[in-house]
């Protein structure tokens, strides 16, 4: 396409459009110029990555988008969110860390978001917006309302695994998403030629999706190209990879000494200033008037932001988690209740929530046609077409899709096949799902569930046996649930799906065949509440997941020896039910903790610290943990038997503590 053909339709309408595009670019330029000044004057406290020189790609890309369409952004995202319609005043207040900022001063420059405007977040992690965009696009596709998503990323993000996973998933699912690379030819300090060997056109061909290229400094060219792409996506087209070539004038961050590129290169790039390119086609007086208008707007925004208070210290804990609807503890199940298995509990809970709430969908590796590697979701894909979705083997894309879809109003339930694989997608849990509500000052909603399973004892080896709940429980904002029986599995999973917070739901695969009483269909278990599963007076024994069965068996063994053990099933690891544990400790004056995760730095250590802090004056004996040594799970049965606690090793510890 020639330069001239980009600019067909001249006349007053075209001039008016270009003048409005110029206004939006000028707003971005002036906002960032003044932000640079304020950073140097220490009025902006945090990191600042400016996009001066890249205004045309932001404005042109957002030009054909409506309020329901979405974008995801980058750490260099001021231009994107301003172009999508966020106001400059609340943004300036956010950069200054003020309570009235876009995200109440919790996000700063790199984390601005407003899902109400279709802005699903700038992001401090390179490439992280791409899987999230796939999630927003999944929500759009499931709603079939013709909405589209634009995922902005820089050329440096192409080296991230999240780029591959997101683009591949979008291609496989035929999602309405534009992956827009703002190629400014530098990955932080490194020139593009040192980072990649294949052009984006070749990469797009490898994924089987359309590729287009545009002059990223020509706002009319970007807008016209994007208008055509967006129209095709609204009509049902699949993902497109668009490369907009541009250049950033400032360093990677404010304060960057920029020793990696010559000043002549920057000066040459400024000859293609997007604002100058646009001004050449505008009346100078009209453009000058826009400049004056925007200058006044930005100065007013700065004056307003300066006058505002910072967040009050007592609001430190705000926005970490959404308030939970209270759920009462259900009545005990009748003795003659029908018997079912834990694996049935998982399937029935998913089936119930899929039927009850159209915003719920299930996704994961082989959860659809294959019915899950353990058969837990068998039949659900047929019962709920399009809402039980197979994914590629791409854990970051799977969880990232959940994050984006949750922010877009869905309630995703995604599966990570083994808990050991959490490490593959940890960023999406650690930096996205757990933090986005907080970093956006409550603007981001995050009702999602990540189901996974673990279980040692069957020679699964070191990469398929790990109990990693301590890692997850250490992340503020995540809820971690580990049921110990079929009825709790059903009630806790349903509660997790209905909960407004991100929940990691951890099943023990050795319990899938465990039988127990089947609860009524409306059965719910409150999250964050432990349960005393056996009353006792001499020792408190705390456990969770499958180890609860061994704990109860050990307590029954000791009952015959005259030692009364109270057993507590935590059920939820985080948030921790401190009250139930401390109340039991006040009664028994002794505490033993048994868990399947390795002993060092675990949840047992947290419970022990709580006991010697808040429960110190009740203690009549040392707090003791029964857990595997700090050794990876062994494969050989002879070693695994020694490594894993059992009823007998728990009972031995209880006897020792009872004798103190």
């Amino acid at each position: 396409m020639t330069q001239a053909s980009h600019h067909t339709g001249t006349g007053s309408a075209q001039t008016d459009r270009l003048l409005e595009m110029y206004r939006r670019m000028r707003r971005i330029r002036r906002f960032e110029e003044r932000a640079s000044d304020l950073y140097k004057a220490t009025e902006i406290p945090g990191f600042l990555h400016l996009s001066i020189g890249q205004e045309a790609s932001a404005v042109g890309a957002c030009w054909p988008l409506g309020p329901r369409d979405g974008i995801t952004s980058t750490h260099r995202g001021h231009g994107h969110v301003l172009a999508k319609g966020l106001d400059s005043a609340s943004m300036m207040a956010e950069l200054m860390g003020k309570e009235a900022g876009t995200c109440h001063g919790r996000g700063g420059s790199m984390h601005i978001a407003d899902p109400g405007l279709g802005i699903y977040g700038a992001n401090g992690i390179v490439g992280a917006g791409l899987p999230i965009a796939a999630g927003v696009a999944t929500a759009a596709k499931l709603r079939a309302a013709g909405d589209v998503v634009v995922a902005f990323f820089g050329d440096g993000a192409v080296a991230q695994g999240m780029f591959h996973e997101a683009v591949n998933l979008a291609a496989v699912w035929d999602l309405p998403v534009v992956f827009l690379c703002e190629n400014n030819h530098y990955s932080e300090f490194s020139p593009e030629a040192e980072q990649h060997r294949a052009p984006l056109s070749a990469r797009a061909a490898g994924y089987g999706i359309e590729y287009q290229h545009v002059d990223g400094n020509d706002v009319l060219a970007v807008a016209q190209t994007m208008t055509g792409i967006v129209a095709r996506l609204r009509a049902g087209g699949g993902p497109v990879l668009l490369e907009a070539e541009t250049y950033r004038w400032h360093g990677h961050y404010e304060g960057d000494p920029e020793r990696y590129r010559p000043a002549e290169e920057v000066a040459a790039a400024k000859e293609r200033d997007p604002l100058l390119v646009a001004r050449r086609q505008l009346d100078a007086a009209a453009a000058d008037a826009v400049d004056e208008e925007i200058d006044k707007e930005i100065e007013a925004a700065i004056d307003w932001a300066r006058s505002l208070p910072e967040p009050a210290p007592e609001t430190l804990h705000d926005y970490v988690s959404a308030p939970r609807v209270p759920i009462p503890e259900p009545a005990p199940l009748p003795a003659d209740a029908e018997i079912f298995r834990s694996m049935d509990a998982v399937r029935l809970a998913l089936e119930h929530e899929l039927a009850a709430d159209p915003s719920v969908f299930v996704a994961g590796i082989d959860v659809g046609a294959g019915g899950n590697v353990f058969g837990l979701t068998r039949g659900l894909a047929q019962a709920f077409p399009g809402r039980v979705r197979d994914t590629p083997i791409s854990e970051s894309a799977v969880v990232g899709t959940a994050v984006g879809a949750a922010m877009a109003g869905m309630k995703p339930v995604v599966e990570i096949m083994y808990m050991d694989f959490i490490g593959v997608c940890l960023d999406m849990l650690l930096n996205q799902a757990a933090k986005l509500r907080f970093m956006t000052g409550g603007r981001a909603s995050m009702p999602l569930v990540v189901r996974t399973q673990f279980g040692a004892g069957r020679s699964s080896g070191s990469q398929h046996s790990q109990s990693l709940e301590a890692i997850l429980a250490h992340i503020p904002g995540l809820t971690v649930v580990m049921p110990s029986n079929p009825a709790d599995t059903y009630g806790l999973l349903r509660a997790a799906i209905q909960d407004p917070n991100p929940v990691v739901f951890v099943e023990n695969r050795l319990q899938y065949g465990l039988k127990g009483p089947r609860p009524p269909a409306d059965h719910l278990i409150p999250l964050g509440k432990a349960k005393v599963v056996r009353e006792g007076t001499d020792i408190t024994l705390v456990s969770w997941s499958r180890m609860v069965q061994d704990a109860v068996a050990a307590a029954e063994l000791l009952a015959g020896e005259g030692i009364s053990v109270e057993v507590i099933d935590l059920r939820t690891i985080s948030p921790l039910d401190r009250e139930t544990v401390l109340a039991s400790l006040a009664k028994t004056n002794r505490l033993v903790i048994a868990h399947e995760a390795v002993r060092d730095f675990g949840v047992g250590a947290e419970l022990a610290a709580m006991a010697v802090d808040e429960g110190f004056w009740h203690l009549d004996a040392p707090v003791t943990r029964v857990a595997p040594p700090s050794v990876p799970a062994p494969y050989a049965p002879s070693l695994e038997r020694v490594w894993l606690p059992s009823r007998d090793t728990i009972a031995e510890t209880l006897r020792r503590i009872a004798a103190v």
Side-chain angles (χ1 to χ4, degrees):
M1 187 177 285
T2 66
Q3 180 80 5
S5 66
H6 281 302
H7 303 154
T8 55
T10 56
S12 61
Q14 176 78 345
T15 301
D16 290 346
R17 282 196 295 272
L18 181 57
L19 189 64
E20 178 55 30
M21 292 178 190
Y22 178 79
R23 176 180 286 104
R24 297 181 188 186
M25 290 195 297
R26 178 67 186 178
R27 178 177 291 115
I28 297 167
R29 174 69 57 85
R30 193 60 187 153
F31 181 94
E32 295 208 303
E33 287 174 343
R34 293 295 285 124
S36 178
D37 297 338
L38 295 167
Y39 179 83
K40 290 168 186 170
T42 69
E43 290 190 67
I44 291 176
F47 291 122
L48 201 63
H49 304 81
L50 302 182
S51 63
I52 292 175
Q54 301 182 189
E55 296 86 356
S57 55
V59 170
C62 292
W63 185 255
L65 303 183
R68 286 204 322 253
D69 297 317
I71 68 167
T72 61
S73 185
T74 70
H75 58 278
R76 199 178 309 284
H78 303 149
H80 308 145
V81 298
L82 284 167
K84 189 61 171 69
L86 200 57
D87 69 288
S88 55
S90 70
M91 276 184 63
M92 191 62 77
E94 182 63 28
L95 265 59
M96 291 186 180
K98 300 303 180 73
E99 174 63 39
T102 307
C103 302
H104 299 292
R106 269 67 172 183
S109 169
M110 289 192 290
H111 307 116
I112 290 175
D114 187 349
L117 292 174
I119 299 167
Y120 293 95
N123 212 297
I125 308 298
V126 172
L130 301 173
I132 293 172
V136 179
T138 299
K141 180 156 187 167
L142 288 173
R143 292 188 179 118
D147 302 334
V148 304
V149 183
V150 178
F152 290 98
F153 65 101
D155 50 286
V158 176
Q160 284 279 356
M162 286 185 284
F163 168 82
H164 162 73
E165 292 192 24
V167 177
N168 187 60
L169 177 71
V172 170
W173 282 5
D174 212 27
L175 296 177
V177 57
V178 183
F179 294 102
L180 198 158
C181 177
E182 293 179 300
N183 187 353
N184 61 28
H185 302 286
Y186 281 91
S187 303
E188 297 194 359
F189 306 158
S190 300
E192 178 187 22
E194 296 179 5
Q195 296 288 302
H196 315 289
R197 288 293 178 264
L200 281 173
S201 56
R203 294 177 188 276
Y207 296 114
I209 67 173
E210 181 183 347
Y211 167 83
Q212 290 199 40
H213 179 278
V214 69
D215 178 358
N217 285 6
D218 184 338
V219 70
L220 281 172
V222 178
Q224 181 160 320
T225 300
M226 278 295 294
T227 297
I229 292 172
V230 167
R232 289 199 297 281
L233 264 60
R234 293 201 199 286
V240 175
L241 181 55
L242 175 62
E243 182 175 13
E245 281 201 70
T246 183
Y247 196 86
R248 59 169 163 85
W249 296 5
H250 282 224
H252 169 60
Y253 58 90
E254 289 304 278
D256 175 3
E258 296 188 71
R259 297 189 181 96
Y260 49 89
R261 60 183 185 179
E264 300 79 33
E265 179 182 298
V266 179
K270 290 183 179 181
E271 295 297 315
R272 288 284 298 157
D273 179 350
L275 275 71
L276 287 179
V277 171
R279 277 189 76 112
R280 291 182 191 126
Q281 301 171 68
L282 291 170
D283 176 73
D288 289 344
V290 167
D291 291 353
E292 184 178 351
E293 168 199 336
I294 294 299
D295 287 353
K296 289 178 180 177
E297 174 192 319
I298 300 303
E299 292 312 308
I302 292 170
D303 290 343
W304 178 73
R306 277 176 173 152
S307 72
L308 300 170
E310 294 180 336
E314 59 268 23
T315 67
L316 173 63
H317 297 275
D318 291 359
Y319 311 117
V320 176
S321 297
R324 291 198 155 100
V325 176
I327 296 174
E329 185 70 34
L333 299 177
D336 60 349
E338 179 186 349
I339 299 300
F340 79 150
R341 300 167 299 175
S342 288
M343 63 189 302
D344 303 321
V346 173
R347 181 181 56 80
L348 289 169
L350 292 173
E351 183 178 55
H352 189 289
E353 295 306 309
L354 283 163
D357 189 342
S359 68
V360 174
F361 72 92
V362 174
I365 301 160
D366 292 327
V367 300
N372 165 277
V373 68
F374 298 103
L376 305 181
T377 58
R378 199 164 291 151
L380 292 181
Q382 293 74 32
F384 302 95
R387 293 173 59 203
V388 181
R389 308 176 69 86
D390 284 324
T391 69
I393 302 175
S394 303
E395 284 82 2
S396 288
V398 169
V399 181
T401 294
V403 171
M407 279 200 283
M410 305 297 282
K411 292 182 179 176
V413 183
V414 297
E415 178 181 300
I416 299 300
M417 190 179 289
Y418 283 79
M419 194 180 193
D420 313 72
F421 304 165
I422 287 288
V424 180
C425 57
L426 188 58
D427 175 74
M428 282 294 148
L429 289 169
L430 168 69
N431 285 315
Q432 312 303 328
K435 292 186 173 70
L436 278 171
R437 186 175 196 277
F438 180 80
M439 293 191 303
T440 63
R443 286 182 183 267
S445 180
M446 204 56 61
L448 66 88
V449 175
V450 177
R451 279 188 50 252
T452 190
Q453 55 77 29
F454 79 109
R458 298 285 174 84
S459 292
S460 296
S462 299
Q463 294 180 346
H464 285 73
S465 302
Q466 297 168 90
S467 187
L468 301 172
E469 64 271 19
I471 293 175
L472 300 172
H474 192 69
I475 302 171
L478 280 188
T479 296
V480 183
V481 177
M482 299 181 74
S484 69
N485 62 70
D488 281 4
T489 298
Y490 178 84
L492 286 166
L493 182 52
R494 284 194 59 228
I497 296 170
Q498 294 178 20
D499 197 72
N501 296 293
V503 180
V504 182
F505 192 90
V506 187
E507 302 144 15
N508 189 300
R509 66 177 172 275
L510 273 64
Q511 288 197 305
Y512 282 145
L514 180 67
K515 295 178 180 179
R518 176 173 175 169
D522 62 355
H523 188 69
L524 287 171
I525 301 286
L527 301 181
K529 297 293 182 182
K531 184 178 182 181
V532 177
V533 295
R534 188 186 189 281
E535 298 278 353
T537 57
D538 297 332
I539 303 175
T540 297
L541 174 58
V542 180
S543 193
W544 52 93
S545 192
R546 188 175 71 91
M547 197 65 69
V548 170
Q549 311 301 329
D550 289 325
V552 171
E556 296 292 342
L557 191 64
L558 265 70
E561 303 172 18
I563 301 171
S564 176
V565 179
E566 180 151 294
V567 180
I568 295 176
D569 179 358
L570 281 186
R571 304 193 299 195
T572 300
I573 307 304
S574 178
L576 184 61
D577 183 355
R578 300 170 186 274
E579 292 77 12
T580 296
V581 176
L582 289 169
S584 179
L585 177 59
K587 178 170 64 171
T588 67
N589 308 117
R590 287 170 169 80
L591 177 62
V592 174
I593 305 132
H595 56 75
E596 194 167 315
V598 295
R599 181 178 186 270
D600 293 5
F601 307 102
V603 177
E606 178 62 28
L607 287 162
M610 179 186 73
V612 298
D613 180 2
E614 300 168 57
F616 179 78
W617 300 109
H618 298 298
L619 287 171
D620 289 344
V623 179
T624 306
R625 291 167 288 166
V626 186
S630 192
V631 172
Y635 171 76
S638 60
L639 297 177
E640 193 173 36
R641 280 192 297 271
V642 175
W643 180 82
L644 192 64
S646 65
R647 179 199 70 168
D648 293 335
T649 54
I650 295 171
E652 180 183 333
T653 301
L654 291 170
R655 291 187 191 98
R656 178 166 60 83
I657 295 303
V660 173

